[in-house]
Amino acid sequence: MTTEETLLAELQERSFGAAGAATTSSFPEENRMTGAQLARLLRPGAYGVLATTRVDGRPHAAPTSLVLQGPVIWFPTVTGAVRLANLAAHPWASLVVMQGGGSEHAMVMAEGPAEVLDAAADEVTAAAARYGRELPWASAWIRMTPQKIFSYAAGAAQL
């Protein structure tokens, strides 16, 4: 098991350990993903929906690509994006990644503190390289450090 897979599995275990009855009954243990499955769904270049809170408190959700690197999830973005002002006011984000449908669906929900870094920041270099292709439009990157992660994979989901 890779370091990322181990980190994801341990975070998920802690998350479910602190979750209430509604969450644990909605995400039965037999349908939770392994660390390896989580890492595959959160592969570099995967897409999900990133939710932030607008300055005035209203929700904002938008599709985004992502890069998992160690305990951090990175999101490329552009200068002026609404989510940047949102994170300046409320530095917390939620991510949902889904795949498939019906008896073959899988999903991951993650949430945690998030911050914006300039694309030239040293920390961004490794994440950008791991993405797998050039992103000349990405003038900023969001770094989210998940504090909770929940997953569900239907029995026939192929991960």
Side-chain angles (χ1 to χ4, degrees), residues 55-71:
V55 175
D56 65 6
R58 293 178 299 137
H60 176 262
T64 185
S65 60
L66 60 102
V67 177
L68 174 67
Q69 184 177 32

Side-chain angles (χ1 to χ4, degrees), residues 140-154:
W141 286 73
I142 296 167
R143 175 174 56 195
M144 181 178 83
T145 305
Q147 290 188 348
K148 291 182 182 180
I149 192 164
F150 298 103
S151 71
Y152 182 93

Side-chain angles (χ1 to χ4, degrees), residues 81-150:
V82 170
R83 66 183 86 191
L84 302 182
N86 296 350
L87 290 171
H90 306 283
W92 195 269
S94 295
L95 170 70
V96 176
V97 177
M98 296 181 295
Q99 173 180 297
S103 64
E104 298 179 1
H105 76 281
M107 58 78 59
V108 173
M109 295 185 315
E111 64 178 58
E115 62 184 316
V116 179
L117 284 86
D118 183 271
D122 290 340
E123 300 95 328
V124 171
T125 304
R130 188 164 188 188
Y131 192 84
R133 67 179 192 270
E134 293 293 318
L135 300 172
W137 53 267
S139 54
W141 286 73
I142 296 167
R143 175 174 56 195
M144 181 178 83
T145 305
Q147 290 188 348
K148 291 182 182 180
I149 192 164
F150 298 103

